[in-house]
Coordinates of all heavy atoms in Angstrom, one line a residue:
M4 N -8.4 -7.3 -8.9 CA -7.2 -7.6 -9.6 C -6.3 -6.4 -9.9 O -5.1 -6.6 -9.7 CB -7.6 -8.2 -11.0 CG -6.5 -8.7 -11.8 SD -5.9 -10.1 -11.1 CE -4.8 -10.6 -12.4
A5 N -6.8 -5.3 -10.2 CA -6.1 -4.1 -10.3 C -5.4 -3.6 -9.1 O -4.2 -3.2 -9.1 CB -6.9 -2.9 -10.9
L6 N -6.1 -3.8 -8.0 CA -5.5 -3.5 -6.7 C -4.3 -4.3 -6.4 O -3.2 -3.9 -5.9 CB -6.5 -3.5 -5.5 CG -6.0 -3.2 -4.1 CD1 -5.6 -1.7 -4.2 CD2 -7.1 -3.5 -3.2
G7 N -4.4 -5.7 -6.7 CA -3.3 -6.6 -6.4 C -2.0 -6.3 -7.3 O -0.9 -6.3 -6.8
I8 N -2.3 -5.9 -8.5 CA -1.2 -5.5 -9.4 C -0.5 -4.2 -8.9 O 0.7 -4.1 -8.9 CB -1.7 -5.3 -10.9 CG1 -2.1 -6.7 -11.4 CG2 -0.7 -4.6 -11.8 CD1 -2.8 -6.6 -12.7
L9 N -1.3 -3.3 -8.5 CA -0.8 -2.0 -8.0 C 0.0 -2.3 -6.7 O 1.1 -1.7 -6.6 CB -2.0 -1.1 -7.6 CG -1.6 0.3 -7.1 CD1 -0.7 1.1 -8.0 CD2 -2.8 1.1 -6.7
H10 N -0.5 -3.1 -5.8 CA 0.3 -3.4 -4.6 C 1.6 -4.1 -4.9 O 2.6 -3.9 -4.3 CB -0.5 -4.2 -3.7 CG -1.6 -3.3 -3.0 ND1 -2.5 -3.8 -2.1 CD2 -1.8 -2.0 -3.0 CE1 -3.3 -2.9 -1.7 NE2 -2.9 -1.7 -2.2
L11 N 1.5 -5.1 -5.9 CA 2.8 -5.8 -6.2 C 3.8 -4.8 -6.8 O 5.0 -4.9 -6.6 CB 2.5 -6.9 -7.2 CG 1.7 -8.1 -6.6 CD1 1.4 -9.1 -7.6 CD2 2.6 -8.7 -5.5
M12 N 3.3 -3.9 -7.6 CA 4.3 -2.9 -8.2 C 4.9 -2.0 -7.1 O 6.1 -1.8 -7.1 CB 3.6 -2.0 -9.2 CG 3.2 -2.7 -10.5 SD 2.3 -1.7 -11.8 CE 2.2 -0.1 -11.2
L13 N 4.1 -1.6 -6.1 CA 4.7 -0.9 -5.0 C 5.6 -1.6 -4.2 O 6.7 -1.1 -3.7 CB 3.5 -0.3 -4.1 CG 2.7 0.8 -4.8 CD1 1.4 1.1 -3.9 CD2 3.5 2.0 -5.1
I14 N 5.4 -2.9 -4.0 CA 6.3 -3.8 -3.3 C 7.6 -3.9 -4.1 O 8.7 -3.8 -3.4 CB 5.7 -5.2 -3.0 CG1 4.6 -5.0 -2.0 CG2 6.8 -6.1 -2.5 CD1 3.7 -6.3 -1.8
Y15 N 7.6 -4.1 -5.3 CA 8.7 -4.2 -6.2 C 9.5 -2.9 -6.1 O 10.8 -2.9 -5.9 CB 8.3 -4.4 -7.7 CG 9.5 -4.2 -8.6 CD1 10.5 -5.2 -8.6 CD2 9.6 -3.1 -9.4 CE1 11.5 -5.1 -9.5 CE2 10.7 -3.0 -10.2 CZ 11.6 -4.0 -10.3 OH 12.7 -3.8 -11.2
L16 N 8.8 -1.7 -6.2 CA 9.5 -0.4 -6.1 C 10.2 -0.3 -4.7 O 11.3 0.2 -4.6 CB 8.6 0.8 -6.3 CG 8.1 1.0 -7.7 CD1 7.1 2.1 -7.6 CD2 9.3 1.4 -8.5
F17 N 9.6 -0.7 -3.6 CA 10.1 -0.7 -2.3 C 11.3 -1.5 -2.2 O 12.4 -1.1 -1.7 CB 9.1 -1.0 -1.2 CG 9.7 -1.0 0.2 CD1 9.9 0.2 0.8 CD2 10.0 -2.2 0.8 CE1 10.4 0.2 2.1 CE2 10.6 -2.2 2.1 CZ 10.8 -0.9 2.7
L18 N 11.3 -2.7 -2.7 CA 12.4 -3.6 -2.6 C 13.6 -3.2 -3.5 O 14.8 -3.4 -3.2 CB 12.0 -5.1 -3.0 CG 11.1 -5.7 -2.0 CD1 10.6 -7.1 -2.5 CD2 11.7 -5.9 -0.7
R19 N 13.3 -2.6 -4.6 CA 14.3 -2.1 -5.6 C 15.0 -0.9 -5.0 O 16.2 -0.8 -5.1 CB 13.7 -1.8 -6.9 CG 14.7 -1.5 -8.0 CD 14.1 -1.2 -9.3 NE 13.2 0.0 -9.1 CZ 13.3 1.0 -9.8 NH1 14.0 1.1 -10.8 NH2 12.5 2.0 -9.5
D20 N 14.2 0.1 -4.5 CA 14.8 1.4 -4.0 C 13.8 2.0 -3.1 O 12.9 2.6 -3.5 CB 15.0 2.3 -5.2 CG 15.7 3.5 -4.7 OD1 16.3 3.6 -3.7 OD2 15.6 4.5 -5.5
W21 N 14.0 1.8 -1.8 CA 13.0 2.3 -0.8 C 13.0 3.8 -0.9 O 11.9 4.4 -0.5 CB 13.4 1.8 0.6 CG 14.7 2.3 1.1 CD1 15.9 1.7 1.0 CD2 14.9 3.6 1.8 NE1 16.9 2.4 1.6 CE2 16.3 3.6 2.0 CE3 14.1 4.6 2.2 CZ2 16.9 4.7 2.7 CZ3 14.7 5.7 2.8 CH2 16.1 5.7 3.0
Q22 N 14.0 4.5 -1.3 CA 13.9 5.9 -1.4 C 13.0 6.5 -2.4 O 12.5 7.6 -2.3 CB 15.3 6.5 -1.7 CG 16.2 6.3 -0.4 CD 17.6 6.8 -0.8 OE1 18.0 6.8 -1.9 NE2 18.4 7.1 0.3
S23 N 12.5 5.6 -3.3 CA 11.5 6.1 -4.3 C 10.2 6.3 -3.6 O 9.4 7.1 -4.1 CB 11.3 5.0 -5.4 OG 10.8 3.8 -4.9
F24 N 9.9 5.8 -2.4 CA 8.7 6.1 -1.7 C 8.7 7.5 -1.1 O 7.7 8.0 -0.8 CB 8.5 5.1 -0.6 CG 7.7 3.9 -1.0 CD1 8.2 2.9 -1.8 CD2 6.4 3.8 -0.6 CE1 7.5 1.8 -2.2 CE2 5.6 2.7 -1.0 CZ 6.2 1.7 -1.7
T25 N 9.9 8.1 -0.9 CA 10.0 9.4 -0.3 C 9.9 10.5 -1.4 O 9.9 11.7 -1.0 CB 11.2 9.5 0.6 OG1 12.4 9.3 -0.3 CG2 11.2 8.5 1.7
T26 N 9.8 10.2 -2.6 CA 9.6 11.2 -3.7 C 8.1 11.6 -3.7 O 7.3 10.9 -3.2 CB 10.1 10.7 -5.0 OG1 9.3 9.6 -5.4 CG2 11.6 10.3 -4.9
A27 N 7.8 12.6 -4.5 CA 6.4 13.0 -4.7 C 5.7 11.9 -5.4 O 4.5 11.6 -5.0 CB 6.4 14.3 -5.5
F28 N 6.2 11.3 -6.4 CA 5.5 10.2 -7.1 C 5.3 9.0 -6.3 O 4.2 8.4 -6.3 CB 6.4 9.8 -8.4 CG 5.8 8.6 -9.1 CD1 4.7 8.7 -9.9 CD2 6.4 7.4 -8.9 CE1 4.2 7.6 -10.5 CE2 5.9 6.2 -9.6 CZ 4.8 6.4 -10.4
G29 N 6.3 8.6 -5.4 CA 6.1 7.5 -4.6 C 5.1 7.7 -3.5 O 4.3 6.9 -3.2
F30 N 5.0 9.0 -3.0 CA 4.1 9.3 -2.0 C 2.7 9.3 -2.5 O 1.7 8.7 -1.9 CB 4.3 10.7 -1.4 CG 3.4 11.1 -0.3 CD1 3.5 10.5 1.0 CD2 2.3 12.0 -0.5 CE1 2.7 10.9 2.0 CE2 1.5 12.3 0.5 CZ 1.6 11.8 1.8
V31 N 2.4 9.8 -3.7 CA 1.1 9.8 -4.3 C 0.7 8.4 -4.7 O -0.4 7.9 -4.4 CB 1.1 10.7 -5.6 CG1 -0.1 10.4 -6.5 CG2 1.3 12.1 -5.2
S32 N 1.6 7.5 -5.2 CA 1.4 6.2 -5.5 C 1.0 5.3 -4.2 O 0.0 4.6 -4.2 CB 2.5 5.5 -6.1 OG 2.9 6.1 -7.3
W33 N 1.7 5.6 -3.2 CA 1.6 4.9 -1.9 C 0.1 5.3 -1.3 O -0.6 4.4 -1.0 CB 2.7 5.3 -0.9 CG 2.6 4.8 0.5 CD1 2.4 3.5 0.8 CD2 2.6 5.5 1.6 NE1 2.4 3.4 2.2 CE2 2.5 4.7 2.7 CE3 2.7 6.9 1.9 CZ2 2.5 5.1 4.0 CZ3 2.7 7.4 3.2 CH2 2.6 6.4 4.2
V34 N -0.1 6.6 -1.2 CA -1.4 7.0 -0.6 C -2.5 6.6 -1.5 O -3.6 6.2 -1.0 CB -1.3 8.5 -0.3 CG1 -2.7 9.0 0.1 CG2 -0.3 8.9 0.8
G35 N -2.3 6.7 -2.8 CA -3.4 6.4 -3.7 C -3.7 4.9 -3.6 O -4.9 4.5 -3.6
S36 N -2.7 4.1 -3.4 CA -3.0 2.6 -3.3 C -3.7 2.3 -2.0 O -4.6 1.5 -2.0 CB -1.6 1.9 -3.3 OG -1.8 0.6 -3.0
I37 N -3.4 3.0 -0.9 CA -4.1 2.8 0.3 C -5.5 3.2 0.2 O -6.4 2.5 0.6 CB -3.3 3.5 1.5 CG1 -2.0 2.9 1.7 CG2 -4.2 3.5 2.7 CD1 -1.1 3.7 2.6
L38 N -5.8 4.4 -0.4 CA -7.1 4.9 -0.5 C -7.9 3.9 -1.5 O -9.1 3.7 -1.2 CB -7.1 6.3 -1.1 CG -6.6 7.3 -0.1 CD1 -6.5 8.7 -0.8 CD2 -7.5 7.4 1.1
F39 N -7.3 3.4 -2.5 CA -8.0 2.5 -3.4 C -8.4 1.3 -2.7 O -9.5 0.8 -2.9 CB -7.1 2.3 -4.6 CG -7.7 1.5 -5.7 CD1 -9.0 1.8 -6.2 CD2 -7.1 0.3 -6.2 CE1 -9.6 1.1 -7.2 CE2 -7.7 -0.4 -7.2 CZ -8.9 0.0 -7.7
G40 N -7.5 0.7 -1.9 CA -7.8 -0.4 -1.1 C -8.9 -0.2 -0.1 O -9.8 -1.1 0.0
M41 N -8.9 1.0 0.6 CA -10.0 1.3 1.5 C -11.4 1.4 0.8 O -12.3 1.0 1.3 CB -9.7 2.5 2.3 CG -8.5 2.3 3.3 SD -8.2 3.9 4.1 CE -7.1 3.3 5.4
I42 N -11.3 2.1 -0.4 CA -12.6 2.3 -1.2 C -13.1 0.9 -1.6 O -14.3 0.6 -1.5 CB -12.3 3.1 -2.4 CG1 -12.1 4.6 -1.9 CG2 -13.4 3.1 -3.4 CD1 -11.6 5.5 -3.0
M43 N -12.2 0.0 -2.0 CA -12.7 -1.4 -2.4 C -13.3 -2.0 -1.2 O -14.3 -2.7 -1.4 CB -11.5 -2.2 -3.0 CG -10.9 -1.6 -4.2 SD -11.0 -2.6 -5.7 CE -11.2 -4.3 -5.2
L44 N -12.6 -2.0 -0.1 CA -13.2 -2.6 1.2 C -14.6 -2.1 1.5 O -15.5 -2.8 1.8 CB -12.3 -2.5 2.3 CG -11.1 -3.4 2.3 CD1 -10.2 -3.0 3.5 CD2 -11.5 -4.8 2.6
L45 N -14.7 -0.7 1.5 CA -16.0 -0.1 1.8 C -17.1 -0.5 0.7 O -18.2 -0.8 1.1 CB -15.9 1.4 1.9 CG -15.1 2.0 3.1 CD1 -14.9 3.4 2.9 CD2 -15.9 1.6 4.3
F46 N -16.7 -0.5 -0.6 CA -17.6 -0.9 -1.6 C -18.1 -2.3 -1.4 O -19.3 -2.6 -1.5 CB -17.0 -0.7 -2.9 CG -17.8 -1.3 -4.1 CD1 -18.9 -0.6 -4.5 CD2 -17.5 -2.5 -4.7 CE1 -19.7 -1.0 -5.6 CE2 -18.3 -3.0 -5.7 CZ -19.4 -2.3 -6.2
H47 N -17.2 -3.3 -1.1 CA -17.6 -4.7 -1.0 C -18.4 -4.8 0.3 O -19.3 -5.7 0.3 CB -16.4 -5.5 -1.0 CG -15.8 -5.7 -2.4 ND1 -16.5 -6.1 -3.4 CD2 -14.5 -5.5 -2.8 CE1 -15.7 -6.1 -4.5 NE2 -14.5 -5.7 -4.1
R48 N -18.1 -4.1 1.4 CA -19.0 -4.2 2.6 C -20.3 -3.7 2.4 O -21.3 -4.2 2.9 CB -18.3 -3.5 3.7 CG -17.1 -4.2 4.3 CD -16.6 -3.5 5.5 NE -15.5 -4.2 6.0 CZ -14.6 -3.7 6.9 NH1 -14.8 -2.5 7.3 NH2 -13.6 -4.4 7.4
T49 N -20.5 -2.6 1.6 CA -21.8 -2.0 1.6 C -22.7 -2.7 0.5 O -23.9 -2.7 0.6 CB -21.7 -0.5 1.2 OG1 -21.0 -0.3 0.0 CG2 -21.1 0.3 2.3
T50 N -22.0 -3.2 -0.5 CA -22.8 -3.9 -1.6 C -23.0 -5.4 -1.4 O -23.7 -6.1 -2.2 CB -22.3 -3.6 -3.0 OG1 -21.0 -4.1 -3.1 CG2 -22.3 -2.1 -3.2
N51 N -22.2 -5.9 -0.5 CA -22.1 -7.4 -0.3 C -21.7 -8.1 -1.6 O -22.2 -9.2 -1.9 CB -23.4 -7.9 0.2 CG -23.7 -7.5 1.6 OD1 -22.9 -7.3 2.5 ND2 -25.0 -7.3 1.9
A52 N -20.9 -7.4 -2.3 CA -20.4 -8.0 -3.6 C -19.6 -9.3 -3.4 O -19.6 -10.2 -4.3 CB -19.6 -7.0 -4.4
L53 N -19.0 -9.4 -2.2 CA -18.2 -10.6 -1.9 C -18.9 -11.5 -0.9 O -18.2 -12.1 -0.1 CB -16.8 -10.2 -1.5 CG -16.0 -9.5 -2.5 CD1 -14.6 -9.1 -1.9 CD2 -15.7 -10.3 -3.7
M54 N -20.1 -11.4 -0.9 CA -20.8 -12.2 0.2 C -20.5 -13.7 0.1 O -20.6 -14.3 -0.9 CB -22.4 -12.1 0.0 CG -23.2 -12.6 1.1 SD -24.8 -12.1 0.8 CE -25.6 -12.8 2.3
G55 N -20.0 -14.2 1.3 CA -19.6 -15.6 1.3 C -18.2 -15.8 0.9 O -17.7 -16.9 0.9
N56 N -17.4 -14.8 0.4 CA -16.1 -14.9 0.0 C -15.2 -14.1 0.9 O -14.7 -13.1 0.4 CB -16.0 -14.5 -1.5 CG -14.7 -15.0 -2.1 OD1 -13.8 -15.5 -1.4 ND2 -14.5 -14.7 -3.4
S57 N -15.0 -14.5 2.1 CA -14.2 -13.7 3.0 C -12.8 -13.8 2.7 O -12.0 -12.9 3.2 CB -14.4 -14.3 4.5 OG -14.0 -15.6 4.6
L58 N -12.3 -14.7 1.9 CA -10.9 -14.7 1.5 C -10.6 -13.5 0.7 O -9.5 -12.9 0.9 CB -10.6 -16.0 0.7 CG -9.2 -16.2 0.1 CD1 -8.2 -16.2 1.3 CD2 -9.0 -17.4 -0.7
S59 N -11.4 -13.1 -0.2 CA -11.1 -11.9 -1.0 C -11.1 -10.7 -0.2 O -10.2 -9.8 -0.4 CB -12.2 -11.7 -2.1 OG -12.2 -12.8 -3.0
I60 N -11.9 -10.6 0.8 CA -11.9 -9.4 1.7 C -10.6 -9.4 2.5 O -10.0 -8.4 2.7 CB -13.2 -9.4 2.6 CG1 -14.4 -9.1 1.7 CG2 -13.1 -8.4 3.7 CD1 -15.7 -9.2 2.5
R61 N -10.2 -10.5 3.0 CA -9.0 -10.7 3.8 C -7.8 -10.3 2.9 O -6.9 -9.7 3.4 CB -8.9 -12.0 4.4 CG -9.8 -12.2 5.6 CD -9.5 -13.5 6.3 NE -9.9 -14.6 5.3 CZ -9.9 -15.9 5.7 NH1 -9.6 -16.2 6.9 NH2 -10.3 -16.7 4.7
L62 N -7.8 -10.7 1.7 CA -6.7 -10.4 0.7 C -6.6 -8.9 0.5 O -5.5 -8.3 0.6 CB -6.8 -11.1 -0.5 CG -6.5 -12.6 -0.5 CD1 -6.8 -13.3 -1.9 CD2 -5.0 -12.9 -0.2
V63 N -7.7 -8.3 0.3 CA -7.7 -6.8 0.1 C -7.2 -6.1 1.3 O -6.4 -5.2 1.3 CB -9.1 -6.3 -0.4 CG1 -9.1 -4.7 -0.4 CG2 -9.4 -6.8 -1.8
R64 N -7.8 -6.5 2.5 CA -7.4 -5.9 3.7 C -5.9 -6.1 4.0 O -5.2 -5.1 4.4 CB -8.2 -6.5 4.9 CG -8.0 -5.7 6.2 CD -8.8 -6.3 7.3 NE -10.2 -6.2 7.0 CZ -11.0 -7.2 7.2 NH1 -10.6 -8.4 7.6 NH2 -12.3 -7.1 6.9
S65 N -5.4 -7.3 3.9 CA -4.0 -7.6 4.2 C -3.0 -6.9 3.3 O -2.0 -6.4 3.7 CB -3.8 -9.1 4.3 OG -3.9 -9.6 3.0
S66 N -3.4 -6.9 2.0 CA -2.5 -6.2 1.0 C -2.5 -4.7 1.2 O -1.4 -4.0 1.1 CB -2.9 -6.5 -0.4 OG -4.1 -6.0 -0.8
T67 N -3.6 -4.1 1.6 CA -3.6 -2.7 1.9 C -2.8 -2.4 3.2 O -2.0 -1.5 3.2 CB -5.1 -2.2 2.1 OG1 -5.8 -2.4 0.9 CG2 -5.2 -0.7 2.4
L68 N -3.0 -3.2 4.2 CA -2.2 -3.0 5.4 C -0.7 -3.2 5.2 O 0.2 -2.5 5.7 CB -2.6 -4.0 6.5 CG -4.0 -3.7 7.1 CD1 -4.4 -4.8 8.1 CD2 -4.0 -2.3 7.8
M69 N -0.3 -4.2 4.3 CA 1.1 -4.4 3.9 C 1.7 -3.2 3.2 O 2.7 -2.7 3.5 CB 1.2 -5.6 3.0 CG 2.6 -5.9 2.7 SD 2.7 -7.4 1.6 CE 1.6 -7.0 0.3
V70 N 1.0 -2.6 2.3 CA 1.4 -1.4 1.5 C 1.5 -0.2 2.5 O 2.5 0.5 2.4 CB 0.5 -1.1 0.3 CG1 0.8 0.3 -0.2 CG2 0.7 -2.2 -0.7
T71 N 0.6 -0.1 3.5 CA 0.7 0.9 4.5 C 2.0 0.8 5.3 O 2.7 1.7 5.6 CB -0.5 0.9 5.4 OG1 -1.7 1.0 4.6 CG2 -0.5 2.0 6.4
A72 N 2.2 -0.5 5.8 CA 3.4 -0.7 6.6 C 4.7 -0.5 5.8 O 5.7 0.1 6.3 CB 3.4 -2.2 7.1
I73 N 4.7 -0.8 4.5 CA 5.9 -0.6 3.7 C 6.2 0.9 3.5 O 7.3 1.3 3.7 CB 5.7 -1.3 2.3 CG1 5.9 -2.8 2.4 CG2 6.7 -0.7 1.3 CD1 5.6 -3.6 1.2
G74 N 5.1 1.7 3.3 CA 5.3 3.1 3.1 C 5.8 3.8 4.4 O 6.7 4.6 4.4
L75 N 5.2 3.3 5.5 CA 5.6 3.9 6.9 C 7.1 3.5 7.2 O 7.8 4.3 7.7 CB 4.7 3.4 8.0 CG 3.3 3.9 7.9 CD1 2.4 3.3 9.0 CD2 3.3 5.5 8.1
T76 N 7.4 2.3 6.8 CA 8.8 1.8 7.0 C 9.7 2.7 6.2 O 10.8 3.1 6.7 CB 8.9 0.4 6.6 OG1 8.1 -0.4 7.4 CG2 10.4 -0.1 6.8
A77 N 9.4 3.0 4.9 CA 10.3 3.8 4.1 C 10.5 5.2 4.7 O 11.6 5.8 4.7 CB 9.7 3.9 2.7
Y78 N 9.4 5.8 5.2 CA 9.5 7.1 5.8 C 10.2 7.1 7.1 O 10.9 8.0 7.5 CB 8.1 7.8 6.0 CG 7.7 8.4 4.7 CD1 6.9 7.7 3.8 CD2 8.1 9.7 4.3 CE1 6.5 8.2 2.6 CE2 7.8 10.2 3.1 CZ 6.9 9.5 2.2 OH 6.6 10.1 1.1
L79 N 10.1 6.0 7.9 CA 10.9 5.8 9.1 C 12.4 5.7 8.8 O 13.2 6.3 9.4 CB 10.4 4.6 9.9 CG 11.1 4.3 11.2 CD1 10.8 5.3 12.2 CD2 10.6 2.9 11.7
I80 N 12.7 4.9 7.8 CA 14.1 4.8 7.4 C 14.7 6.2 6.9 O 15.8 6.5 7.3 CB 14.3 3.7 6.3 CG1 14.0 2.4 6.8 CG2 15.7 3.8 5.6 CD1 13.9 1.3 5.8
E81 N 13.9 6.9 6.2 CA 14.3 8.2 5.7 C 14.5 9.1 6.8 O 15.4 9.9 6.8 CB 13.2 8.7 4.7 CG 13.6 10.1 4.1 CD 14.7 10.1 3.2 OE1 15.1 9.0 2.6 OE2 15.3 11.2 2.9
G82 N 13.6 9.1 7.8 CA 13.8 10.0 9.0 C 15.0 9.7 9.8 O 15.7 10.6 10.3
I83 N 15.3 8.4 9.9 CA 16.5 8.0 10.8 C 17.7 8.4 10.0 O 18.7 8.9 10.6 CB 16.4 6.4 11.0 CG1 15.3 6.1 12.0 CG2 17.7 6.0 11.5 CD1 15.1 4.6 12.2
T84 N 17.8 8.1 8.7 CA 19.0 8.6 8.0 C 19.2 10.0 7.9 O 20.3 10.5 7.9 CB 19.0 8.0 6.5 OG1 17.8 8.4 5.8 CG2 19.0 6.5 6.5
Y85 N 18.0 10.8 7.9 CA 18.2 12.2 8.0 C 18.7 12.7 9.3 O 19.5 13.6 9.4 CB 16.8 12.8 7.7 CG 16.8 14.4 7.8 CD1 17.3 15.1 6.7 CD2 16.3 15.0 8.9 CE1 17.3 16.5 6.8 CE2 16.3 16.4 9.0 CZ 16.8 17.2 7.9 OH 16.8 18.5 7.9
L86 N 18.3 12.1 10.4 CA 18.8 12.4 11.8 C 20.2 12.1 11.9 O 21.0 12.8 12.6 CB 17.9 11.8 12.8 CG 16.5 12.3 13.0 CD1 15.7 11.5 14.0 CD2 16.5 13.8 13.4
I87 N 20.7 11.0 11.4 CA 22.0 10.5 11.6 C 23.0 11.4 10.7 O 24.1 11.7 11.2 CB 22.1 9.0 11.1 CG1 21.4 8.2 12.2 CG2 23.6 8.6 11.0 CD1 21.4 6.7 11.8
A88 N 22.6 11.8 9.5 CA 23.5 12.5 8.6 C 23.6 13.9 9.0 O 23.2 14.5 9.7 CB 22.9 12.5 7.2

């Protein structure tokens, strides 16, 4: 649940102002969210806490991949605008 809230907050920040991802706070939030998602996936795989509930594993994996893609997109946009300016 906490991971979902964190990912939704990051999506909101990205949609509101993508440049917030290129700040130190945005970078720490982005990387922290990705690491938290990976830790949750590893924890659930090793302890079988979600045994038989592949939907939860898919949701954690897809939301972590989505936040990764959003962060990479923000840095790609920042790089392109830096090269053009």
Side-chain angles (χ1 to χ4, degrees):
M4 184 68 171
L6 181 65
I8 293 171
L9 179 62
H10 285 175
L11 288 175
M12 286 178 9
L13 289 172
I14 291 169
Y15 170 75
L16 285 175
F17 178 76
L18 292 175
R19 190 182 59 128
D20 181 22
W21 63 267
Q22 291 177 336
S23 64
F24 268 75
T25 59
T26 63
F28 174 74
F30 183 76
V31 169
S32 300
W33 174 58
V34 172
S36 171
I37 293 168
L38 291 176
F39 186 50
M41 289 179 171
I42 289 169
M43 296 241 338
L44 282 173
L45 289 173
F46 173 75
H47 288 305
R48 283 187 182 163
T49 58
T50 61
N51 291 327
L53 296 176
M54 190 171 182
N56 195 355
S57 63
L58 177 63
S59 295
I60 292 174
R61 285 187 292 189
L62 285 173
V63 170
R64 185 181 302 132
S65 64
S66 66
T67 301
L68 288 174
M69 180 181 54
V70 169
T71 303
I73 287 173
L75 290 175
T76 302
Y78 278 94
L79 181 66
I80 292 169
E81 180 70 19
I83 290 172
T84 56
Y85 179 75
L86 289 175
I87 291 174

